[in-house]
Amino acid sequence: MTELRWLDRPGDQGVTWGVPWPRGAVERGTPFALSDADGRRVPVQSWVTATWPDGSVKWSAHAAGAGTRSEHYRLEPAAAPVSGAAAPEAGAVTVTRQGDDLIVGTGVVTWTIGGGTVARSISRGSREIARNVRLVSLRQSEPTPEEDGHAARQRAAGVVESVTVEQDGPLRAVVRLEGRHGDWLPFTVRLYFYAGAEQVRILHTFVWDGDPERDFLAGLGLSADVVMRDEPHDRHVRLAGSDGFLTEAVRGLTGLRRDPGEAARRAQVEGRPAGELDPEVARRLHLIPTWGDYTLDQSSADGYTLRKRTKEGHGWVTIPAGTRSAGYGYVGGVSGGLGFGLRDFWRLHPTRLDVRNAAADVATATIWLWSPSAPAMDLRFYHDGMGQDTFEEQLEGLEITYEDYEPGFGDPKGIARTHELSLRAHDATPAADELAAHAAAMNAPALLAASPERVREADVFGVWGLPDRSTPAHAEIEDRLDFLFDLYEREREQRRWYGFWDYGDVMHTYDPDRHTWRYDIGGYAWDNSELSPDLWLWLQYLRTGRADVFRFAEAMCRHTGEVDVYHLGRWKGLGSRHNVQHWGCSCKQLRISNAAYRRFYYYLTADERTGDLMDELSVPEETFLVIDPQRKVREDVYTPDRSALSVGLGTDWGSLAAAWLTRWERHGDERARDRLLGTMADIGAMPRRFLTGEGRMDLDTGRFDTSRDQISISHLSSLFGLPEMCAELIALDLDVPGFERAWLEYCRLYLAPPEQQEAETGRRLSGISLIQAHSRLTAYAAARTEDAELAAWAWRKFRLGEGDQLNRNPLQHQENWELTLVDGPRVPHPVHEAAFVSTNSAAQYGLAAIHNLVLIGKHLTAR
């Protein structure tokens, strides 16, 4: 039995969540039963998202329909199908074909999908609320000249080319739409329907496939035409501000020289029929202007503007502005209308909400993902190369700005972005508190979650444990883990790490002289998953269950999986190393597109788009044919060849293993299984095992050449998910000869005294650095071999980092972890800084601390 609680807020429009199960506990095909806090059965729809090697359920996903509002729930496998368990009281979601159209009904609203649009029509009951729901875009052939205003723009509609039903109920239906905006911008839209719900969640993904020198996106949005049936004074417009809503009527009755009556005024403000008006007002209604057009423009994370006009061809009137809009609106009347919005609206600026023609028979609501008011999207590379035309010159550039530049590699073609939108069909204008609740639900979608204790019991995601404050030394580490997360949450706000392409990422390194992060310095700017902050954050969520940690990790998962990775083109399946621009670095590697960073979010939420990202890595080894990650520093002669492909046994193989394991457990893919198990056996059979550093793979067989005899150590090998994957694979008990021995050897020797290294390998290992991060390898070996002396050595390396000082974590010699206030003329605004922290140091500390606490926590003593 699994108890489920809401992550941060309850939902009432349907919910989907994931639950892990211990190996062998639940057989595939087992039905599930859900009950509320009072023991009443709740209809539930269930499916399997991953299995253990023995075929039992590892992760299951579940959905419940609208009206699910109990404080907590209990989910359990059922011995037999539960009568009525999947039959909601309000009726099931239905998906039917009608000619070329797809008709989806929730029991409250009906969507007709067809005609190349997102939706041909949206109805509530027998009344059509909206029609012609469509994607729209604006394109320029040159950036907007600042002195001349907008360049010529081409408007295009996104044309849906295929419609796929991914789930068809009874409680949850998912429809996937795919298409393009003319000759560019391929998109995928998923529509989520829940039984009894009036809201439909929309997940929109587009891939940027233009030429950055001549294609400038000037607007991207979703529009819907809304049927307006009521008199202008019974039509309403609502746009979310920072706290409440702009509350307007198309023809206002308040503030007039003649009073229509208190009842009419109050009714109009509350969204109810105005009723009978004072005759002095009623006979002059035609002299009151009707306001048909409204715009809310969020140009930055710090401010939005509001304006309205009577109709096109007439001037705009400014409405008092504000700071951060919740990104939700409504247009309609007392007989019904449409709620519309964009999650993280102000965080993803520049964004915009438009209402047009609200005084006509059909109004139009548009959610702009990229506001047409903003300068056109300019994705050109940020410098001219500065003469770095050879590998030698590029390596010199790396030495000064840490940027790995190469001509033509700072290309954004193939990156993507995903947005979450909401459309809600109403039978009347919602009250103010209802609208506020709808906006809150959109911005923090409801999620049911198992407790950290229950997830730990299932033994998923490798090495992690629950918070431990049993001694002062343990409590200090827990306090510092909290400090680091709280710091990054604060820094995101202080430094405004927001914006269309940026939100979800963090910066790499701090500049204490300028009291800012190195946003403009080559490889020190956006982090792009360097040293796995993704893993640190997800493991911290698993162990604490904190909603704020989940939301931070969720935003990072959305960003790093979309923006930092290529989804089409020559580098499809690869990601870009840290840079001033997310796509700017010439280092295109699998370590950034790593499936290990996506698995958490997918299994906890059953998010289909994250599943897509992992499916893009179905044959990850093929990416090594495209580009040699070591091409600039390789000393041997090498050309990528299918029969002997160079694959590093650290960052490369760890990423391959994550993709193969995920493919196997999600889809039962035997090819992925065989390549995973085969290469594990090959590593164990190599003369130097993991110390070999690099293997040669035959792509046709998926196996390594086991005769390669060399020692090559990289300080990065174990910092992109390799320890996590090896621990998880060993825990699966896959019976692969030599693999565990090979990994334990590497874990023991990396931080071993040079004399021990030489005694066991014949040489002292070089390239040893990032001591604190690697202490978790020593700890793992100590735990597996029950070696107390090795455990003490691991803690010593974690706390003091003794030995080789290369790349020593600054946190190891920072006694006082405190913030310093910086204000005055040196900075644009006051900030609280922790100049001793970088993302590298935070990720190193976070992962090492989480691993070491559970592996060797009993050996931890005070300094």
Side-chain angles (χ1 to χ4, degrees):
M1 188 271 288
T2 300
E3 184 169 297
L4 304 165
R5 293 187 178 274
W6 296 105
L7 176 67
D8 44 15
R9 59 177 308 281
D12 65 355
Q13 289 295 299
V15 61
T16 300
W17 71 97
V19 175
W21 302 95
R23 185 181 343 196
V26 179
E27 293 300 315
R28 189 164 195 143
T30 301
F32 290 90
L34 183 69
S35 55
D36 65 15
D38 296 321
R40 294 186 294 264
R41 288 293 189 197
V42 177
V44 64
Q45 178 178 325
S46 305
W47 62 101
V48 175
T49 51
T51 57
W52 293 98
D54 65 3
S56 63
V57 176
K58 185 176 185 180
W59 283 90
S60 59
H62 308 272
T68 308
R69 292 295 295 268
S70 179
E71 180 181 344
H72 61 86
Y73 294 86
R74 289 184 296 276
L75 179 76
E76 55 191 333
V82 181
S83 176
E89 296 179 5
V93 171
T94 59
V95 182
T96 58
R97 292 280 181 182
Q98 192 174 93
D100 294 333
D101 291 343
L102 189 72
I103 313 298
V104 185
T106 70
V108 177
V109 300
T110 302
W111 282 48
T112 301
I113 301 167
T117 63
V118 173
R120 191 190 297 275
S121 176
I122 302 174
S123 299
R124 180 160 181 152
S126 60
R127 178 169 293 174
E128 184 182 40
I129 299 297
R131 59 176 73 132
N132 192 22
V133 182
R134 60 206 181 270
L135 296 174
V136 294
S137 64
L138 300 171
R139 182 186 195 176
Q140 296 176 190
S141 60
E142 59 185 32
T144 306
E146 294 182 2
E147 65 275 12
D148 296 333
H150 292 306
R153 292 179 168 179
Q154 300 173 349
R155 189 181 186 93
V159 177
V160 173
E161 299 168 347
S162 68
V163 178
T164 304
V165 178
E166 294 185 321
Q167 282 192 328
D168 60 0
L171 298 176
R172 178 188 195 251
V174 183
V175 179
R176 187 179 78 240
L177 314 175
E178 295 175 289
R180 299 177 66 86
H181 289 259
D183 63 349
W184 78 321
L185 298 187
F187 63 81
T188 300
V189 170
R190 280 187 170 90
L191 307 175
Y192 290 87
F193 301 89
Y194 288 90
E198 62 184 10
Q199 173 197 257
V200 172
R201 176 173 170 256
I202 302 172
L203 201 67
H204 170 275
T205 300
F206 85 102
V207 179
W208 198 92
D209 66 340
D211 179 344
E213 299 297 327
R214 61 180 180 84
D215 293 316
F216 300 89
L217 187 61
L220 181 67
L222 178 120
S223 292
D225 294 339
V226 183
V227 180
M228 306 293 281
R229 296 180 174 86
D230 303 297
E231 291 296 322
H233 55 272
D234 281 334
R235 300 181 184 186
H236 309 116
V237 174
R238 305 286 189 261
L239 293 173
S242 307
D243 299 304
F245 279 77
L246 175 72
T247 303
E248 298 271 309
V250 172
R251 176 189 283 147
L253 296 177
T254 66
L256 299 174
R257 187 175 185 183
R258 303 299 180 188
D259 186 3
E262 181 182 355
R265 287 186 280 109
R266 180 176 299 172
Q268 187 179 69
V269 169
E270 294 176 355
R272 297 180 287 105
E276 185 175 350
L277 306 178
D278 182 281
E280 291 296 305
V281 174
R283 67 186 182 89
R284 296 184 174 94
L285 284 176
H286 64 289
L287 299 175
I288 303 173
T290 54
W291 299 92
D293 296 352
Y294 291 78
T295 286
L296 187 154
D297 212 333
Q298 185 83 49
S299 60
S300 76
D302 294 311
Y304 65 81
T305 58
L306 279 162
R307 60 186 184 271
K308 69 178 183 179
R309 67 183 180 186
T310 54
K311 57 184 176 181
E312 187 176 4
H314 296 271
W316 290 94
V317 174
T318 300
I319 304 171
T323 53
R324 294 172 169 176
S325 168
Y328 197 76
Y330 170 85
V331 60
V334 296
S335 61
L338 186 70
F340 55 96
L342 171 66
R343 183 184 180 187
D344 292 322
F345 182 77
W346 61 265
R347 296 179 179 91
L348 291 167
H349 67 82
T351 49
R352 194 168 105 176
L353 297 180
D354 281 349
V355 172
R356 296 290 183 266
N357 301 317
D361 293 338
V362 177
T364 300
T366 302
I367 306 164
W368 290 103
L369 314 180
W370 184 275
S371 170
S373 308
M377 187 185 292
D378 189 346
L379 302 187
R380 293 173 295 178
F381 194 66
Y382 78 100
H383 66 67
D384 64 5
M386 299 176 288
Q388 299 177 72
D389 297 325
T390 66
F391 285 173
E392 291 76 16
E393 291 166 331
Q394 292 157 26
L395 291 173
E396 282 296 299
L398 187 69
E399 287 297 316
I400 188 66
T401 66
Y402 203 31
E403 178 172 74
D404 190 355
Y405 172 79
E406 191 169 339
F409 276 64
D411 186 353
K413 186 173 184 177
I415 66 171
R417 197 46 155 150
T418 291
H419 293 77
E420 298 181 45
L421 303 90
S422 172
L423 293 182
R424 190 184 289 241
H426 293 278
D427 57 5
T429 299
D433 58 347
E434 292 178 74
L435 284 169
H438 298 168
M442 177 189 71
N443 281 298
L447 180 67
L448 286 169
S451 68
E453 293 82 0
R454 172 62 182 77
V455 179
R456 179 62 274 168
E457 180 185 292
D459 198 20
V460 292
F461 295 133
V463 177
W464 60 276
L466 303 176
D468 179 3
R469 297 180 178 274
S470 57
T471 72
H474 288 81
E476 178 190 72
I477 293 176
E478 294 292 353
D479 288 344
R480 290 185 170 187
L481 285 170
D482 289 342
F483 174 91
L484 288 174
F485 172 73
D486 294 343
L487 171 69
Y488 274 85
E489 192 171 45
R490 182 183 295 105
E491 286 298 273
R492 180 173 66 183
E493 172 60 17
Q494 285 192 145
R495 313 296 178 168
R496 302 301 192 263
W497 291 341
Y498 303 119
F500 186 97
W501 292 113
D502 298 336
Y503 177 59
D505 207 352
V506 297
M507 284 282 170
H508 185 286
T509 304
Y510 198 70
D511 183 345
D513 295 314
R514 291 189 291 170
H515 303 289
T516 188
W517 293 77
R518 302 183 198 179
Y519 66 92
D520 57 349
I521 308 295
Y524 291 116
W526 291 114
D527 189 70
N528 288 30
S529 297
E530 183 71 2
L531 301 199
S532 306
D534 318 61
L535 293 180
W536 158 48
L537 290 168
W538 280 121
L539 291 177
Q540 184 67 353
Y541 164 70
L542 291 181
R543 61 198 302 272
T544 65
R546 286 175 54 175
D548 53 352
V549 179
F550 179 93
R551 296 302 184 191
F552 201 102
E554 176 187 33
M556 182 174 285
C557 185
R558 280 275 186 243
H559 170 92
T560 60
E562 303 280 7
V563 181
D564 299 345
V565 175
Y566 291 95
H567 308 274
L568 54 76
R570 56 178 168 166
W571 297 314
K572 180 179 179 180
L574 298 174
S576 298
R577 173 181 170 271
H578 39 101
N579 193 262
V580 170
Q581 292 171 301
H582 299 285
W583 51 88
C585 186
S586 71
C587 178
K588 312 296 186 186
Q589 291 192 3
L590 203 61
R591 77 189 202 196
I592 299 108
S593 57
N594 201 335
Y597 301 152
R598 322 287 169 234
R599 298 166 74 229
F600 299 89
Y601 188 62
Y602 174 75
Y603 290 132
L604 292 167
T605 66
D607 177 70
E608 281 83 359
R609 174 56 188 168
T610 307
D612 292 347
L613 299 180
M614 295 189 294
D615 285 341
E616 289 177 0
L617 299 173
S618 59
V619 285
E621 62 274 24
E622 298 284 343
T623 62
F624 291 93
L625 283 170
V626 176
I627 189 171
D628 174 18
Q630 303 298 318
R631 64 194 180 281
K632 296 185 184 181
V633 296
R634 187 177 293 282
E635 297 178 357
D636 58 339
V637 177
Y638 169 76
T639 301
D641 180 86
R642 289 191 65 87
S643 63
L645 200 62
S646 172
V647 175
L649 301 185
T651 59
D652 294 342
W653 185 81
S655 302
L656 290 172
W660 287 330
L661 174 62
T662 306
R663 186 82 185 168
W664 178 20
E665 64 186 11
R666 287 184 62 212
H667 301 297
D669 188 325
E670 294 182 359
R671 179 184 182 279
R673 176 202 63 194
D674 292 346
R675 299 208 163 205
L676 174 64
L677 300 183
T679 54
M680 289 171 65
D682 293 340
I683 292 170
M686 291 178 183
R688 302 291 187 167
R689 295 161 292 280
F690 272 103
L691 295 173
T692 309
E694 180 186 73
R696 294 298 168 93
M697 176 184 286
D698 184 327
L699 276 188
D700 294 327
T701 64
R703 301 299 295 267
F704 284 126
D705 174 4
T706 59
S707 66
R708 194 172 180 83
D709 189 355
Q710 67 172 35
I711 292 179
S712 177
I713 303 294
S714 169
H715 65 291
L716 294 179
S717 291
S718 295
L719 301 181
F720 290 83
L722 180 66
E724 288 74 20
M725 292 314 305
C726 286
E728 192 166 344
L729 291 170
I730 290 169
L732 289 175
D733 195 19
L734 297 171
D735 192 27
V736 179
F739 182 78
E740 181 174 4
R741 179 174 72 93
W743 180 239
L744 290 180
E745 175 188 56
Y746 187 86
C747 291
R748 279 191 307 103
L749 291 179
Y750 187 92
L751 293 183
E755 299 79 14
Q756 181 183 347
Q757 295 172 347
E758 186 172 15
E760 296 197 32
T761 70
R763 55 179 280 191
R764 299 185 177 205
L765 303 181
S766 60
I768 303 300
S769 65
L770 301 175
I771 306 301
Q772 187 175 62
H774 285 87
S775 69
R776 72 189 195 270
L777 275 65
T778 311
Y780 183 78
R784 294 294 290 185
T785 60
E786 299 182 343
D787 187 330
E789 290 187 8
L790 194 58
W793 183 254
W795 276 123
R796 187 174 178 179
K797 292 298 184 179
F798 174 79
R799 300 296 292 268
L800 303 176
E802 294 177 339
D804 191 336
Q805 299 302 301
L806 179 63
N807 285 335
R808 185 183 182 205
N809 192 342
L811 301 185
Q812 290 178 298
H813 53 79
Q814 182 71 29
E815 288 290 337
N816 298 317
W817 288 34
E818 296 177 351
L819 299 176
T820 301
L821 175 64
V822 180
D823 59 5
R826 297 175 295 167
V827 290
H829 57 83
V831 294
H832 289 85
E833 71 175 12
F836 55 92
V837 177
S838 71
T839 299
N840 274 7
S841 65
Q844 286 182 68
Y845 184 93
L847 286 170
I850 290 169
H851 281 231
N852 293 352
L853 281 170
V854 67
L855 289 170
I856 54 172
K858 64 183 179 181
H859 299 283
L860 175 60
T861 58
R863 289 182 185 272

